[in-house]
């Protein structure tokens, strides 16, 4: 009976693919992929969609399929995008932080589409190759094992600009949207071959806090009254926080380095969240401009549209903002698909992730899958042929993080009702286990209550990645890169390192922090020793 079920799954899987793989060059759909930055995926379905008006995301959900459990493969910009563009997990691409990602010559799904006869065009934020982002960002990632505790971000704040008629707050993204719309109206409409268009936006990523100087990160949530009016303020919750002494040590490190360990009033927290939701509404409007241009030109019925994001934003959940965390606000991303062959009003609860976009797009175009991909095509899921057609997808997702604002390599396995998070070598830092069906807020770490579940999930995780070895590789990389950077600076090292984003805390005891780094470079301190040393500071 089991073999019969497996055979039926394979037959159904193959039949679904034939719908796409047998298309002629004239039948193949156009493909539009719009990727935002820092968009919480929980806002794309109920009950999250009740807090803010997102008419075009709602339209995509009604006209296509929405994934209820879609995740980033790394909750930070560049490594996440590297996974999406390469179709490979982070430990395979070695995209350890915002500075180290893909080589510019890496073969992306867009390159495959171009070779198969698609007219391809990309615009806006790409951010998947190495060598970018600030010096502060990379140094903070390299030194995360050093046992000191320094604030690396500006305190999250809000900024209300314009009036009730101010729609274009993020002008750079609106300019990109305008270019995309013009390209659709004037170029795409006249093409004789199918096209693939990628549009990358920066919203709803927080803005840089200008008052903190040129090295500042993004800690300002900026919007106008026009977009704030799209938010149902009475639906904006103030999330519960654990007591500081009850926080996981890595979570506390994140809270402190993100400058969120101080006091926040309920009004501050609610405003930060409301402004973030308003920024999501502005993002939705840009998506709408692209959809409307496809409809106006008669291209919409021949175009598959996909909307997603590189990661989410905690927006003050768990006493944090930004990303760099496996909590839902940070790791759960939107994923909606609509177009020919996609079932309408369809919800998929199976966990999926951004590496699945690569094989999905190739399936849409009828392009053979290359070997070595970590993802699985989502076509069997969105076509709605049968429930069994979802079986080829393994039903779990992997996310990993090796960058700044977290002082241990972090690995998350999401399957069924469980989210399992483990760190470093799996021994020296305690794991976390959340039952999302009973604890949506992720406030009850039940790892000690379900050791058998932890063991089973850890065993599954190790079949995907030898994470203790990966953690060691990242540790060696961080030391090597920092040492090379330090040596290249020569006599200016002390001045440069003192004026990075942590400069306010650093200058209180610069000599001590430099000694901490020298000891780290010259000694092999275990991860547990590092975390214990950091914990001793609070």
């Amino acid at each position: 009976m089991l073999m019969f079920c497996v055979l039926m799954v394979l037959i159904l899987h193959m039949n679904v693919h034939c719908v796409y793989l047998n298309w002629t060059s004239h039948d193949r759909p156009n493909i539009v992929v719009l990727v935002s930055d820092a968009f919480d995926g929980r806002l794309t379905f109920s009950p999250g969609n009740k807090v803010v008006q997102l008419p075009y995301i709602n339209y995509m959900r009604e006209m296509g399929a929405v994934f209820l459990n879609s995740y980033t493969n790394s909750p930070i910009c560049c490594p996440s995008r590297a996974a999406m563009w390469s179709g490979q997990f982070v430990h395979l691409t070695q995209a350890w932080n915002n500075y180290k990602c893909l080589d510019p010559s890496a073969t992306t799904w867009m390159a495959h589409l171009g070779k198969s006869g698609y007219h391809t065009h990309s615009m806006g934020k790409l951010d998947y190759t190495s060598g970018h982002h600030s010096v502060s960002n990379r140094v903070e990632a390299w030194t995360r094992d050093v046992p000191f505790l320094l604030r690396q971000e500006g305190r999250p704040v809000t900024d209300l600009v314009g009036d009730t008629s101010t729609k274009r707050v993020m002008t750079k993204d609106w300019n990109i949207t305008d270019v995309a719309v013009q390209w659709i109206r004037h170029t795409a409409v006249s093409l004789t071959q199918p096209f693939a268009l990628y549009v990358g936006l920066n919203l709803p990523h927080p803005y840089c806090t200008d008052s903190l100087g040129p090295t500042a990160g993004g800690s300002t949530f900026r919007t106008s009254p026009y977009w704030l009016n799209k938010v149902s303020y009475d639906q904006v919750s103030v999330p519960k926080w654990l007591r500081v002494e009850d926080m996981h040590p890595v979570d506390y490190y994140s809270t402190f380095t993100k400058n969120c360990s101080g006091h926040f009033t309920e009004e501050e927290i609610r405003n930060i969240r409301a402004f973030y939701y308003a920024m999501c509404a502005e993002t939705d409007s840009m998506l709408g401009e692209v959809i409307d241009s496809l409809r106006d030109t008669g291209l919409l019925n021949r175009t598959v549209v996909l909307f997603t994001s590189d990661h989410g934003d905690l927006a003050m959940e768990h006493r944090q903002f930004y990303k760099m965390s496996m909590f839902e606000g940070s790791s759960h991303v939107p994923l909606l698909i609509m177009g020919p062959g996609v079932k309408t009003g369809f919800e998929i609860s199976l966990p999926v992730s951004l590496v699945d976009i690569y094989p999905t797009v190739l399936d849409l175009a009828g392009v053979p899958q290359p070997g070595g991909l970590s993802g699985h095509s989502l076509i069997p899921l969105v076509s709605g042929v049968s429930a069994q057609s979802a079986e080829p997808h393994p039903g779990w997702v992997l996310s990993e993080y090796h960058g700044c604002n977290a002082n241990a390599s972090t690995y998350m396995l999401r399957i069924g009702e469980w989210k399992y998070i483990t760190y470093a070598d799996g021994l020296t830092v305690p794991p976390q286990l959340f039952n999302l069906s009973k604890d949506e807020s992720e406030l009850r770490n039940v790892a000690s209550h379900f050791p058998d579940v932890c063991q089973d999930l850890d065993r599954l995780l190790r079949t995907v990645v030898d994470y203790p070895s990966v953690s060691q590789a990242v540790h060696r990389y961080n030391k090597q890169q920092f040492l090379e950077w330090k040596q290249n600076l020569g006599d200016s090292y002390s001045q440069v390192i003192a004026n990075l984003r942590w400069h306010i805390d650093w200058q209180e005891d610069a000599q001590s922090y430099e000694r901490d780094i020298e000891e780290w470079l010259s000694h092999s301190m275990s991860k547990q020793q590092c975390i214990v040393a950091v914990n001793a500071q609070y």
Side-chain angles (χ1 to χ4, degrees):
M1 182 63 182
L2 177 61
M3 288 302 297
F4 173 76
C5 292
V6 171
L7 181 60
M8 288 302 296
V9 166
L10 292 174
I11 292 173
L12 288 167
H13 184 56
M14 291 171 60
N15 286 342
V16 173
H17 280 220
C18 288
V19 173
Y20 296 89
L21 298 180
N22 286 343
W23 274 337
T24 67
S25 59
H26 296 292
D27 294 328
R28 294 194 296 173
N30 306 309
I31 300 171
V32 174
V33 177
L34 193 147
V35 178
S36 62
D37 193 314
F39 200 112
D40 184 345
R42 298 171 299 174
L43 298 177
T44 62
F45 52 86
S46 182
N49 63 346
K50 299 184 187 307
V51 73
V52 59
Q53 297 174 31
L54 303 173
Y56 287 96
I57 284 176
N58 291 340
Y59 175 78
M60 286 194 67
R61 189 176 67 249
E62 293 168 4
M63 301 303 296
V66 58
F67 288 85
L68 306 180
N69 293 290
S70 51
Y71 290 87
T72 179
N73 298 108
S74 187
I76 194 170
C77 304
C78 197
S80 171
R81 292 165 183 268
M84 182 191 71
W85 282 102
S86 70
Q88 292 186 311
F89 290 136
V90 166
H91 63 274
L92 299 178
T93 63
Q94 298 184 4
W96 301 138
N97 53 54
N98 266 347
Y99 180 65
K100 186 183 185 305
C101 286
L102 297 184
D103 187 272
S105 63
T107 302
T108 66
W109 47 263
M110 190 67 92
H112 280 292
L113 294 182
K115 292 177 182 177
S116 74
Y118 269 73
H119 183 104
T120 61
H121 194 56
S122 297
M123 61 186 68
K125 186 170 187 176
L126 294 171
D127 196 20
Y128 64 85
T129 57
S130 295
H132 306 290
H133 290 267
S134 69
V135 173
S136 280
N137 197 261
R138 67 192 71 158
V139 174
E140 291 156 9
W142 294 336
T143 58
R144 63 183 191 154
D145 287 335
V146 181
F148 53 46
L149 201 56
L150 301 165
R151 291 171 293 176
Q152 300 169 5
E153 308 288 350
R155 179 185 170 96
V157 295
T158 58
D159 182 26
L160 189 64
V161 299
D163 53 35
T164 55
S165 65
T166 305
K167 294 181 64 176
R168 296 194 167 211
V169 179
M170 187 14 152
T171 54
K172 183 176 180 180
D173 277 358
W174 278 110
N175 291 338
I176 292 166
T177 303
D178 290 343
V179 172
V181 167
Q182 291 303 310
W183 187 87
I184 291 169
R185 293 185 184 278
H186 298 293
T187 300
V189 72
S190 60
L191 294 173
T192 58
Q193 64 193 112
F195 67 84
L197 172 65
Y198 169 89
V199 182
L201 303 176
N202 201 65
L203 275 182
H205 191 291
Y207 294 78
C208 289
T209 304
D210 298 332
S211 62
L212 299 179
T215 65
S219 58
T220 296
F221 293 82
R222 179 177 297 140
T223 193
S224 71
Y226 178 88
W227 296 113
L228 207 53
N229 286 338
K230 308 294 182 183
V231 179
S232 299
Y233 201 79
D234 60 335
Q235 296 288 323
V236 179
S237 63
V238 175
K240 293 181 180 179
W241 290 348
L242 294 176
R243 297 181 305 170
V244 168
E245 56 266 33
D246 293 331
M247 295 177 71
H248 188 278
V250 176
D251 293 333
Y252 179 79
Y253 178 91
S254 298
T255 290
F256 191 95
T257 58
K258 291 178 181 178
N259 206 351
C260 290
S261 60
H263 175 71
F264 288 84
T265 66
E266 285 197 3
E267 182 181 11
E268 280 183 285
I269 296 168
R270 184 174 277 112
N271 283 340
I272 288 170
R273 291 171 68 75
F275 276 56
Y276 170 70
Y277 297 143
M279 293 161 68
C280 291
E282 187 175 2
T283 309
D284 177 83
S285 185
M286 297 175 191
L287 169 66
E289 292 289 320
V290 174
I291 292 174
D292 285 345
S293 65
L294 291 169
R295 182 189 297 109
D296 293 346
T297 54
L299 293 171
L300 188 58
N301 291 336
R302 292 183 281 136
T303 303
V304 173
V305 181
L306 187 152
F307 174 73
T308 190
S309 185
D310 53 356
H311 50 74
D313 193 297
L314 287 162
M316 301 310 292
E317 293 178 10
H318 300 279
R319 205 185 183 101
Q320 297 180 43
F321 77 111
Y322 240 15
K323 55 272 187 176
M324 303 117 164
S325 166
M326 295 303 172
F327 288 128
E328 287 290 286
S330 167
S331 64
H332 196 142
V333 298
L335 183 56
L336 300 101
I337 306 175
M338 73 174 188
V342 179
K343 192 171 181 180
T344 61
F346 202 34
E347 294 186 345
I348 300 102
S349 59
L350 191 79
V352 300
S353 64
L354 293 181
V355 290
D356 296 325
I357 289 177
Y358 195 121
T360 299
V361 169
L362 295 193
D363 253 5
L364 287 169
V367 177
Q369 307 281 335
L373 296 182
S374 303
H376 297 74
S377 174
L378 303 177
I379 296 304
L381 304 182
V382 300
S383 67
V385 169
S386 72
Q388 286 81 8
S389 65
E391 277 298 319
H393 195 287
W396 52 260
V397 297
L398 166 69
S399 190
E400 52 190 296
Y401 185 68
H402 309 283
C404 58
N405 297 107
N407 58 343
S409 284
T410 307
Y411 307 85
M412 183 267 281
L413 191 71
R414 175 77 170 86
I415 181 170
E417 62 190 351
W418 298 109
K419 177 186 284 188
Y420 174 66
I421 307 171
T422 188
Y423 303 87
D425 60 2
L427 298 172
T428 53
V429 183
Q432 298 196 78
L433 180 70
F434 299 101
N435 185 327
L436 295 187
S437 67
K438 298 179 179 179
D439 179 25
E440 293 181 355
S441 299
E442 298 171 291
L443 295 173
R444 297 191 296 274
N445 175 14
V446 296
S448 62
H449 299 287
F450 296 93
D452 291 345
V453 173
C454 288
Q455 290 175 9
D456 289 344
L457 295 181
D458 194 80
R459 191 178 302 114
L460 174 59
L461 177 62
R462 289 172 188 260
T463 67
V464 183
V465 53
D466 179 5
Y467 69 85
S469 297
V470 171
S471 299
Q472 277 299 312
V474 176
H475 179 76
R476 291 191 297 269
Y477 159 83
N478 286 341
K479 275 195 173 184
Q480 177 188 357
Q481 291 295 306
F482 181 86
L483 188 58
E484 290 178 5
W485 176 76
K486 178 178 182 290
Q487 292 171 342
N488 287 336
L489 288 174
D491 294 339
S492 64
Y493 163 71
S494 293
Q495 180 183 0
V496 172
I497 198 168
N499 286 283
L500 299 180
R501 294 193 298 190
W502 53 34
H503 63 94
I504 294 176
D505 288 353
W506 184 278
Q507 291 169 6
E508 292 182 359
D509 197 354
Q511 292 183 344
S512 174
Y513 295 133
E514 283 200 40
R515 284 197 301 270
D516 289 338
I517 287 179
E518 292 307 313
E519 291 179 8
W520 166 66
L521 289 173
S522 60
H523 296 92
S524 177
M525 183 181 286
S526 74
K527 173 55 59 180
Q528 181 63 25
Q529 288 173 315
C530 291
I531 290 181
V532 167
V534 169
N535 288 350
Q537 298 185 44
Y538 72 96

